[in-house]
Amino acid sequence: MGFRQEVVAGLRQSWQSSHALLLFPIALIVAITLVDIHSPESIHLGPALVIAPALTPSFAGPRLTGLVGALAVAAQVVIAVLHGGLYTTNHIVQILTLFLLSLITVVYCAFRDRRRAQLAQVRSVAEAAQHVLLWPLPERIGPLTVACLYLAAEDEAQIGGDLYAATRAGSRVRVMIGDVRGKGLSAIGEAALLLGAFREAGHRQTSLLELAATLEQSVTRYLADFEPPEELGERFATALLMEIPDGDPVTRMTSCGHPPPLLLSPGHVVTVPSVHPAPPMGIGSAHAADYHLDVFSFEPGDTLLLYTDGVIEARDTSGRFYPLVDRAALWTEESPESLLHRLRRDLLAHTGGHLDDDAALIALHRTPSVHHAHPHPRIIHADGFRHRPGSRPQDT
């Protein structure tokens, strides 16, 4: 009931605002009419009346625009009667011209409102599809505080080929983030398939490598049935699968051609774990032995930042890629929600407000627990690196 009242209040406020602004073109019509009537016959201000119906569509619909246009035409008739005669050639041309211009303005306003309604419907459908396909991640799952962000490259779509999901598997949290080749609505089918397969198999008590093989089989079957012949071998999906045990401060991970996550630690420290990626799903093998399991520390107080390549490949006007590692290092002690809020603003500022590819991010913060009184030593593979603001990635 509260939401309904807010909508009604918003519509009422919009209606009142439009009618208040309507006073301006009406006052303009009155002013031009009075000045023209009291001016010498050699001065004709009537053509300026077209300004009133031309301004009205900026805040009103076709009906109010038509009303203002009718008032402008009526004012032109009054001017003609009182200022030289109604049936003079000059006044007849002015009246007809003003009528036609007002009519064109009303038609334009009607088409504009129709386009807005269609766009609103498309966005509504896209938003519904997004909620069905990309279920909102819970704010807390197991020992993790979670936040997620999706930025679609196509404004009307609000969803595309990037995807994420999380589930419980016994005493573990499993998370997937992926990226289907392509963007926008054309990539939704494969994204839906991969998400459905993960939700079906992710909670089972199988290893992470077996889960990757199962997802590969699902993608391969889908492509065999629906991949167009002209795109044979060109459709695939990258994915990063992660498993976070409740009682052990480590993370297990397997990558299928997906960028590695960032591990944010207090003190503005960013660690990029080493990854041994398998080929993307859809072009590789479906055997668990073909995947590699990477393990690294994930201590209480740390935050894992997962992302798709739409983030790191976003360019500014000079063609420079978005420096995600440097930016994330500035906000390592922020909450997941605050971290993604800052990254979103910074990323859009970097790209000028528009992305060329879909982008998704997930922030997973491991909260302190009494069960971790004796934390395991931090595990960093030899080819991983620690990063602080201002240092180069190869610095360790």
Side-chain angles (χ1 to χ4, degrees):
M1 188 64 179
F3 174 76
R4 187 175 181 178
Q5 291 176 343
E6 289 180 5
V7 172
V8 172
L11 292 175
R12 184 183 295 113
Q13 183 178 3
S14 176
W15 184 87
Q16 292 173 347
S17 176
S18 297
H19 283 67
L21 291 174
L22 190 61
L23 295 175
F24 177 72
I26 292 177
L28 187 62
I29 292 173
V30 174
I32 293 175
T33 302
L34 292 176
V35 172
D36 198 335
I37 291 174
H38 293 87
S39 298
E41 291 188 4
S42 58
I43 298 177
H44 301 280
L45 297 178
L49 289 169
V50 74
I51 298 175
L55 288 176
T56 307
S58 63
F59 59 83
R63 291 185 178 182
L64 290 180
T65 302
L67 174 62
V68 172
L71 291 176
V73 172
Q76 182 64 63
V77 171
V78 171
I79 291 173
V81 171
L82 300 178
H83 200 194
L86 178 62
Y87 298 106
T88 62
T89 303
N90 183 45
H91 284 150
I92 291 175
V93 171
Q94 289 183 19
I95 292 171
L96 290 177
T97 301
L98 181 57
F99 173 78
L100 289 176
L101 290 176
S102 298
L103 181 62
I104 291 173
T105 304
V106 171
V107 172
Y108 157 76
C109 191
F111 274 110
R112 181 204 62 186
D113 285 2
R114 182 179 178 183
R115 170 61 178 167
R116 284 180 176 176
Q118 291 174 339
L119 183 58
Q121 184 178 13
V122 169
R123 286 179 173 172
S124 177
V125 172
E127 184 177 356
Q130 184 180 39
H131 284 292
V132 171
L133 182 60
L134 280 181
W135 299 349
L137 298 182
E139 295 182 1
R140 185 172 181 86
I141 179 170
L144 307 175
T145 302
V146 183
C148 55
L149 172 66
Y150 194 102
L151 296 172
E154 298 181 8
D155 294 335
E156 293 83 0
Q158 298 187 12
I159 192 171
D162 288 10
L163 54 100
Y164 51 75
T167 187
R168 291 285 291 172
S171 59
R172 298 164 291 176
V173 177
R174 282 181 173 168
V175 181
M176 177 182 69
I177 187 168
D179 184 3
V180 174
R181 183 180 180 270
K183 63 181 181 180
L185 298 175
S186 62
I188 288 183
E190 293 164 64
L193 168 89
L194 195 52
L195 284 168
F198 175 81
R199 288 166 184 156
E200 176 64 24
H203 67 279
R204 297 175 182 171
Q205 299 296 322
T206 58
S207 71
L208 205 61
L209 303 183
E210 291 173 341
L211 175 59
T214 299
L215 299 181
E216 169 66 31
Q217 292 171 2
S218 298
V219 173
T220 301
R221 285 196 303 267
Y222 174 85
L223 294 179
D225 292 336
F226 299 104
E227 186 176 24
E230 64 273 13
E231 296 184 11
L232 188 63
E234 296 183 4
R235 300 179 70 170
F236 56 86
T238 66
L240 184 69
L241 301 173
M242 308 197 73
E243 182 178 88
I244 304 168
D246 292 352
D248 193 8
V250 298
T251 294
R252 305 181 186 98
M253 171 181 63
T254 184
S255 171
C256 301
H258 199 84
L262 302 183
L263 180 63
L264 313 183
S265 303
H268 304 286
V269 176
V270 178
T271 304
V272 182
S274 88
V275 176
H276 302 82
M281 294 180 178
I283 61 175
S285 176
H287 300 288
D290 298 325
Y291 299 96
H292 190 278
L293 188 67
D294 295 297
V295 182
F296 58 94
S297 292
F298 184 25
E299 301 284 350
D302 290 345
T303 299
L304 272 173
L305 182 63
L306 286 62
Y307 56 92
T308 59
D309 58 9
V311 178
I312 56 177
E313 293 179 1
R315 298 174 182 264
D316 61 10
T317 53
S318 345
R320 293 176 296 182
F321 290 114
Y322 181 67
L324 178 61
V325 174
D326 290 328
R327 295 294 198 270
L330 300 174
W331 305 306
T332 58
E333 299 181 19
E334 299 284 343
S335 67
E337 184 177 358
S338 177
L339 171 64
L340 295 191
H341 175 72
R342 291 180 179 274
L343 287 174
R344 178 184 183 276
R345 293 183 58 184
D346 192 60
L347 177 62
L348 292 177
H350 179 83
T351 60
H354 178 75
L355 298 176
D356 294 327
D357 193 7
D358 302 321
L361 299 103
I362 304 176
L364 308 169
H365 178 75
R366 184 155 208 158
T367 55
S369 171
V370 295
H371 299 295
H372 297 151
H374 303 286
H376 292 223
R378 183 177 298 273
I379 302 171
I380 302 178
H381 290 280
D383 51 348
F385 63 82
R386 303 280 294 279
H387 178 83
R388 292 179 182 272
S391 66
R392 296 181 300 174
Q394 64 266 28
D395 295 339
T396 57

Short mmCIF file of all heavy atoms in Angstrom, two decimals, residues 56-104:
data_model
loop_
_atom_site.label_atom_id
_atom_site.label_comp_id
_atom_site.label_asym_id
_atom_site.label_seq_id
_atom_site.Cartn_x
_atom_site.Cartn_y
_atom_site.Cartn_z
N THR A 56 5.75 23.96 -25.14
CA THR A 56 4.88 23.14 -24.29
C THR A 56 5.26 21.66 -24.24
O THR A 56 5.19 21.05 -23.17
CB THR A 56 3.41 23.30 -24.73
OG1 THR A 56 3.09 24.69 -24.78
CG2 THR A 56 2.48 22.61 -23.74
N PRO A 57 5.68 21.00 -25.35
CA PRO A 57 6.03 19.57 -25.26
C PRO A 57 7.17 19.25 -24.30
O PRO A 57 7.34 18.10 -23.92
CB PRO A 57 6.42 19.21 -26.70
CG PRO A 57 5.72 20.21 -27.55
CD PRO A 57 5.72 21.47 -26.75
N SER A 58 7.93 20.26 -23.90
CA SER A 58 9.04 19.99 -22.99
C SER A 58 8.57 19.60 -21.60
O SER A 58 9.33 19.02 -20.83
CB SER A 58 9.96 21.21 -22.89
OG SER A 58 9.25 22.33 -22.34
N PHE A 59 7.29 19.91 -21.28
CA PHE A 59 6.79 19.56 -19.95
C PHE A 59 5.37 18.99 -19.98
O PHE A 59 4.83 18.63 -18.93
CB PHE A 59 6.81 20.79 -19.03
CG PHE A 59 6.00 21.96 -19.52
CD1 PHE A 59 4.63 22.03 -19.29
CD2 PHE A 59 6.60 22.97 -20.25
CE1 PHE A 59 3.89 23.11 -19.74
CE2 PHE A 59 5.86 24.06 -20.72
CZ PHE A 59 4.50 24.13 -20.46
N ALA A 60 4.74 18.91 -21.14
CA ALA A 60 3.35 18.46 -21.21
C ALA A 60 3.16 17.50 -22.37
O ALA A 60 4.04 17.34 -23.24
CB ALA A 60 2.41 19.65 -21.35
N GLY A 61 1.99 16.85 -22.39
CA GLY A 61 1.65 15.90 -23.42
C GLY A 61 0.94 16.55 -24.59
O GLY A 61 0.79 17.78 -24.67
N PRO A 62 0.45 15.71 -25.53
CA PRO A 62 -0.18 16.26 -26.74
C PRO A 62 -1.45 17.06 -26.46
O PRO A 62 -1.75 18.01 -27.19
CB PRO A 62 -0.47 15.00 -27.57
CG PRO A 62 -0.41 13.85 -26.63
CD PRO A 62 0.53 14.25 -25.56
N ARG A 63 -2.24 16.70 -25.46
CA ARG A 63 -3.48 17.42 -25.19
C ARG A 63 -3.22 18.87 -24.76
O ARG A 63 -3.82 19.81 -25.29
CB ARG A 63 -4.28 16.69 -24.11
CG ARG A 63 -4.85 15.36 -24.58
CD ARG A 63 -5.74 14.75 -23.51
NE ARG A 63 -6.32 13.49 -23.98
CZ ARG A 63 -7.16 12.75 -23.28
NH1 ARG A 63 -7.52 13.14 -22.05
NH2 ARG A 63 -7.64 11.63 -23.77
N LEU A 64 -2.34 19.04 -23.79
CA LEU A 64 -2.02 20.40 -23.35
C LEU A 64 -1.30 21.18 -24.45
O LEU A 64 -1.51 22.39 -24.60
CB LEU A 64 -1.16 20.36 -22.09
CG LEU A 64 -1.88 19.91 -20.81
CD1 LEU A 64 -0.92 19.92 -19.63
CD2 LEU A 64 -3.09 20.79 -20.52
N THR A 65 -0.48 20.47 -25.23
CA THR A 65 0.19 21.14 -26.35
C THR A 65 -0.83 21.60 -27.38
O THR A 65 -0.74 22.71 -27.93
CB THR A 65 1.20 20.18 -27.02
OG1 THR A 65 2.16 19.76 -26.04
CG2 THR A 65 1.91 20.86 -28.16
N GLY A 66 -1.84 20.75 -27.65
CA GLY A 66 -2.90 21.16 -28.56
C GLY A 66 -3.70 22.34 -28.03
O GLY A 66 -4.09 23.24 -28.80
N LEU A 67 -3.94 22.36 -26.71
CA LEU A 67 -4.65 23.47 -26.11
C LEU A 67 -3.89 24.78 -26.27
O LEU A 67 -4.45 25.82 -26.65
CB LEU A 67 -4.88 23.19 -24.63
CG LEU A 67 -5.50 24.33 -23.79
CD1 LEU A 67 -6.88 24.69 -24.32
CD2 LEU A 67 -5.55 23.95 -22.32
N VAL A 68 -2.58 24.75 -26.02
CA VAL A 68 -1.76 25.95 -26.18
C VAL A 68 -1.72 26.37 -27.64
O VAL A 68 -1.78 27.57 -27.96
CB VAL A 68 -0.34 25.69 -25.63
CG1 VAL A 68 0.58 26.86 -25.96
CG2 VAL A 68 -0.39 25.48 -24.12
N GLY A 69 -1.63 25.38 -28.56
CA GLY A 69 -1.65 25.72 -29.98
C GLY A 69 -2.95 26.38 -30.39
O GLY A 69 -2.95 27.35 -31.18
N ALA A 70 -4.08 25.88 -29.87
CA ALA A 70 -5.38 26.48 -30.19
C ALA A 70 -5.46 27.91 -29.65
O ALA A 70 -5.98 28.82 -30.33
CB ALA A 70 -6.49 25.62 -29.60
N LEU A 71 -4.93 28.13 -28.44
CA LEU A 71 -4.92 29.48 -27.88
C LEU A 71 -4.05 30.41 -28.72
O LEU A 71 -4.40 31.59 -28.91
CB LEU A 71 -4.41 29.43 -26.44
CG LEU A 71 -5.33 28.76 -25.41
CD1 LEU A 71 -4.65 28.70 -24.05
CD2 LEU A 71 -6.66 29.51 -25.31
N ALA A 72 -2.93 29.90 -29.22
CA ALA A 72 -2.06 30.73 -30.06
C ALA A 72 -2.76 31.11 -31.36
O ALA A 72 -2.67 32.27 -31.82
CB ALA A 72 -0.76 29.97 -30.34
N VAL A 73 -3.46 30.14 -31.98
CA VAL A 73 -4.19 30.45 -33.21
C VAL A 73 -5.30 31.46 -32.93
O VAL A 73 -5.53 32.40 -33.71
CB VAL A 73 -4.77 29.15 -33.83
CG1 VAL A 73 -5.69 29.47 -35.00
CG2 VAL A 73 -3.64 28.23 -34.29
N ALA A 74 -6.02 31.26 -31.83
CA ALA A 74 -7.08 32.21 -31.46
C ALA A 74 -6.51 33.60 -31.23
O ALA A 74 -7.13 34.62 -31.64
CB ALA A 74 -7.79 31.72 -30.20
N ALA A 75 -5.36 33.67 -30.59
CA ALA A 75 -4.71 34.98 -30.37
C ALA A 75 -4.33 35.62 -31.70
O ALA A 75 -4.48 36.84 -31.87
CB ALA A 75 -3.48 34.80 -29.49
N GLN A 76 -3.89 34.81 -32.65
CA GLN A 76 -3.55 35.35 -33.97
C GLN A 76 -4.78 35.89 -34.68
O GLN A 76 -4.73 36.91 -35.37
CB GLN A 76 -2.89 34.26 -34.82
CG GLN A 76 -2.45 34.72 -36.20
CD GLN A 76 -1.38 35.79 -36.15
OE1 GLN A 76 -0.28 35.55 -35.66
NE2 GLN A 76 -1.70 36.99 -36.63
N VAL A 77 -5.93 35.22 -34.51
CA VAL A 77 -7.18 35.71 -35.09
C VAL A 77 -7.56 37.04 -34.45
O VAL A 77 -7.98 37.99 -35.15
CB VAL A 77 -8.30 34.66 -34.89
CG1 VAL A 77 -9.65 35.26 -35.29
CG2 VAL A 77 -8.01 33.42 -35.69
N VAL A 78 -7.42 37.16 -33.13
CA VAL A 78 -7.73 38.43 -32.44
C VAL A 78 -6.85 39.54 -32.96
O VAL A 78 -7.31 40.67 -33.22
CB VAL A 78 -7.58 38.25 -30.92
CG1 VAL A 78 -7.69 39.61 -30.21
CG2 VAL A 78 -8.62 37.28 -30.38
N ILE A 79 -5.57 39.23 -33.13
CA ILE A 79 -4.64 40.25 -33.65
C ILE A 79 -5.06 40.68 -35.05
O ILE A 79 -5.05 41.87 -35.39
CB ILE A 79 -3.21 39.69 -33.68
CG1 ILE A 79 -2.68 39.50 -32.25
CG2 ILE A 79 -2.27 40.61 -34.46
CD1 ILE A 79 -1.34 38.80 -32.18
N ALA A 80 -5.46 39.69 -35.86
CA ALA A 80 -5.86 40.03 -37.23
C ALA A 80 -7.09 40.91 -37.25
O ALA A 80 -7.18 41.87 -38.03
CB ALA A 80 -6.13 38.73 -38.02
N VAL A 81 -8.08 40.63 -36.40
CA VAL A 81 -9.30 41.41 -36.36
C VAL A 81 -9.04 42.85 -35.91
O VAL A 81 -9.59 43.82 -36.45
CB VAL A 81 -10.33 40.73 -35.43
CG1 VAL A 81 -11.55 41.64 -35.20
CG2 VAL A 81 -10.79 39.41 -36.03
N LEU A 82 -8.19 43.00 -34.89
CA LEU A 82 -7.95 44.32 -34.30
C LEU A 82 -6.78 45.07 -34.92
O LEU A 82 -6.54 46.24 -34.56
CB LEU A 82 -7.71 44.16 -32.79
CG LEU A 82 -8.86 43.53 -31.99
CD1 LEU A 82 -8.46 43.39 -30.53
CD2 LEU A 82 -10.13 44.36 -32.13
N HIS A 83 -6.05 44.38 -35.81
CA HIS A 83 -4.80 44.99 -36.28
C HIS A 83 -4.67 44.81 -37.80
O HIS A 83 -3.77 44.13 -38.27
CB HIS A 83 -3.61 44.36 -35.56
CG HIS A 83 -2.39 45.21 -35.60
ND1 HIS A 83 -1.14 44.73 -35.28
CD2 HIS A 83 -2.21 46.53 -35.93
CE1 HIS A 83 -0.25 45.70 -35.42
NE2 HIS A 83 -0.89 46.81 -35.80
N GLY A 84 -5.61 45.40 -38.55
CA GLY A 84 -5.46 45.39 -40.00
C GLY A 84 -6.52 44.63 -40.75
O GLY A 84 -6.61 44.74 -41.97
N GLY A 85 -7.29 43.79 -40.10
CA GLY A 85 -8.34 43.06 -40.79
C GLY A 85 -8.07 41.58 -40.90
O GLY A 85 -6.95 41.16 -41.22
N LEU A 86 -9.12 40.77 -40.66
CA LEU A 86 -8.98 39.32 -40.63
C LEU A 86 -8.67 38.73 -42.00
O LEU A 86 -7.95 37.74 -42.10
CB LEU A 86 -10.26 38.70 -40.07
CG LEU A 86 -10.32 37.17 -40.02
CD1 LEU A 86 -9.21 36.63 -39.10
CD2 LEU A 86 -11.69 36.70 -39.53
N TYR A 87 -9.20 39.38 -43.06
CA TYR A 87 -9.10 38.75 -44.37
C TYR A 87 -7.96 39.30 -45.22
O TYR A 87 -7.93 39.09 -46.44
CB TYR A 87 -10.44 38.92 -45.12
CG TYR A 87 -11.57 38.22 -44.39
CD1 TYR A 87 -12.51 38.98 -43.69
CD2 TYR A 87 -11.67 36.84 -44.39
CE1 TYR A 87 -13.55 38.36 -43.00
CE2 TYR A 87 -12.71 36.22 -43.70
CZ TYR A 87 -13.64 36.97 -43.02
OH TYR A 87 -14.64 36.35 -42.34
N THR A 88 -7.01 39.96 -44.60
CA THR A 88 -5.82 40.37 -45.35
C THR A 88 -4.95 39.15 -45.63
O THR A 88 -4.92 38.18 -44.86
CB THR A 88 -5.00 41.41 -44.57
OG1 THR A 88 -4.55 40.80 -43.35
CG2 THR A 88 -5.86 42.64 -44.24
N THR A 89 -4.25 39.20 -46.75
CA THR A 89 -3.42 38.05 -47.15
C THR A 89 -2.37 37.72 -46.10
O THR A 89 -2.13 36.54 -45.77
CB THR A 89 -2.72 38.34 -48.50
OG1 THR A 89 -3.72 38.65 -49.47
CG2 THR A 89 -1.90 37.15 -48.96
N ASN A 90 -1.77 38.75 -45.52
CA ASN A 90 -0.72 38.53 -44.54
C ASN A 90 -1.25 37.79 -43.32
O ASN A 90 -0.65 36.82 -42.84
CB ASN A 90 -0.12 39.87 -44.11
CG ASN A 90 1.03 39.71 -43.14
OD1 ASN A 90 1.91 38.88 -43.34
ND2 ASN A 90 1.02 40.51 -42.08
N HIS A 91 -2.41 38.20 -42.80
CA HIS A 91 -2.96 37.57 -41.61
C HIS A 91 -3.46 36.15 -41.89
O HIS A 91 -3.33 35.26 -41.05
CB HIS A 91 -4.09 38.42 -41.03
CG HIS A 91 -3.59 39.63 -40.30
ND1 HIS A 91 -4.31 40.81 -40.22
CD2 HIS A 91 -2.43 39.85 -39.61
CE1 HIS A 91 -3.63 41.69 -39.52
NE2 HIS A 91 -2.48 41.14 -39.13
N ILE A 92 -4.05 35.94 -43.07
CA ILE A 92 -4.50 34.59 -43.42
C ILE A 92 -3.32 33.63 -43.47
O ILE A 92 -3.38 32.50 -42.95
CB ILE A 92 -5.26 34.61 -44.77
CG1 ILE A 92 -6.60 35.33 -44.61
CG2 ILE A 92 -5.49 33.18 -45.28
CD1 ILE A 92 -7.36 35.52 -45.90
N VAL A 93 -2.21 34.07 -44.08
CA VAL A 93 -1.00 33.22 -44.15
C VAL A 93 -0.45 32.94 -42.76
O VAL A 93 -0.06 31.81 -42.44
CB VAL A 93 0.06 33.89 -45.04
CG1 VAL A 93 1.39 33.13 -44.95
CG2 VAL A 93 -0.41 33.94 -46.49
N GLN A 94 -0.45 33.96 -41.90
CA GLN A 94 0.06 33.76 -40.53
C GLN A 94 -0.81 32.78 -39.75
O GLN A 94 -0.29 31.93 -39.02
CB GLN A 94 0.13 35.11 -39.81
CG GLN A 94 1.22 36.04 -40.33
CD GLN A 94 1.29 37.34 -39.53
OE1 GLN A 94 0.78 37.40 -38.42
NE2 GLN A 94 1.91 38.35 -40.11
N ILE A 95 -2.12 32.90 -39.89
CA ILE A 95 -3.02 31.99 -39.15
C ILE A 95 -2.84 30.56 -39.62
O ILE A 95 -2.73 29.63 -38.80
CB ILE A 95 -4.49 32.45 -39.33
CG1 ILE A 95 -4.71 33.79 -38.61
CG2 ILE A 95 -5.45 31.40 -38.79
CD1 ILE A 95 -6.06 34.43 -38.91
N LEU A 96 -2.81 30.36 -40.95
CA LEU A 96 -2.65 29.01 -41.48
C LEU A 96 -1.29 28.43 -41.10
O LEU A 96 -1.18 27.25 -40.74
CB LEU A 96 -2.81 29.02 -43.00
CG LEU A 96 -4.24 29.29 -43.52
CD1 LEU A 96 -4.25 29.35 -45.04
CD2 LEU A 96 -5.19 28.21 -43.02
N THR A 97 -0.26 29.25 -41.16
CA THR A 97 1.09 28.77 -40.81
C THR A 97 1.17 28.37 -39.34
O THR A 97 1.71 27.32 -38.98
CB THR A 97 2.14 29.85 -41.11
OG1 THR A 97 2.08 30.20 -42.49
CG2 THR A 97 3.53 29.36 -40.77
N LEU A 98 0.60 29.22 -38.47
CA LEU A 98 0.62 28.91 -37.04
C LEU A 98 -0.19 27.65 -36.75
O LEU A 98 0.22 26.82 -35.92
CB LEU A 98 0.05 30.10 -36.26
CG LEU A 98 0.01 29.98 -34.74
CD1 LEU A 98 1.41 29.70 -34.19
CD2 LEU A 98 -0.57 31.23 -34.11
N PHE A 99 -1.35 27.48 -37.45
CA PHE A 99 -2.15 26.27 -37.25
C PHE A 99 -1.38 25.02 -37.65
O PHE A 99 -1.37 24.02 -36.92
CB PHE A 99 -3.44 26.38 -38.07
CG PHE A 99 -4.26 25.12 -38.07
CD1 PHE A 99 -5.05 24.80 -36.98
CD2 PHE A 99 -4.22 24.24 -39.15
CE1 PHE A 99 -5.80 23.63 -36.96
CE2 PHE A 99 -4.95 23.08 -39.14
CZ PHE A 99 -5.74 22.77 -38.04
N LEU A 100 -0.71 25.06 -38.81
CA LEU A 100 0.05 23.89 -39.28
C LEU A 100 1.22 23.58 -38.36
O LEU A 100 1.48 22.41 -38.03
CB LEU A 100 0.54 24.13 -40.71
CG LEU A 100 -0.55 24.13 -41.80
CD1 LEU A 100 0.06 24.49 -43.16
CD2 LEU A 100 -1.22 22.76 -41.87
N LEU A 101 1.95 24.61 -37.92
CA LEU A 101 3.09 24.38 -37.03
C LEU A 101 2.62 23.82 -35.68
O LEU A 101 3.27 22.94 -35.10
CB LEU A 101 3.86 25.68 -36.83
CG LEU A 101 4.64 26.18 -38.05
CD1 LEU A 101 5.28 27.53 -37.76
CD2 LEU A 101 5.72 25.17 -38.46
N SER A 102 1.51 24.31 -35.18
CA SER A 102 0.97 23.78 -33.92
C SER A 102 0.54 22.33 -34.09
O SER A 102 0.77 21.49 -33.19
CB SER A 102 -0.22 24.63 -33.46
OG SER A 102 0.18 25.97 -33.21
N LEU A 103 -0.08 22.02 -35.24
CA LEU A 103 -0.51 20.64 -35.50
C LEU A 103 0.69 19.71 -35.59
O LEU A 103 0.68 18.60 -35.02
CB LEU A 103 -1.32 20.59 -36.80
CG LEU A 103 -1.86 19.21 -37.21
CD1 LEU A 103 -2.82 18.70 -36.14
CD2 LEU A 103 -2.53 19.29 -38.57
N ILE A 104 1.75 20.15 -36.25
CA ILE A 104 2.97 19.34 -36.35
C ILE A 104 3.56 19.10 -34.96
O ILE A 104 4.03 18.00 -34.63
CB ILE A 104 4.00 20.02 -37.27
CG1 ILE A 104 3.50 20.01 -38.72
CG2 ILE A 104 5.36 19.34 -37.17
CD1 ILE A 104 4.36 20.80 -39.67
#
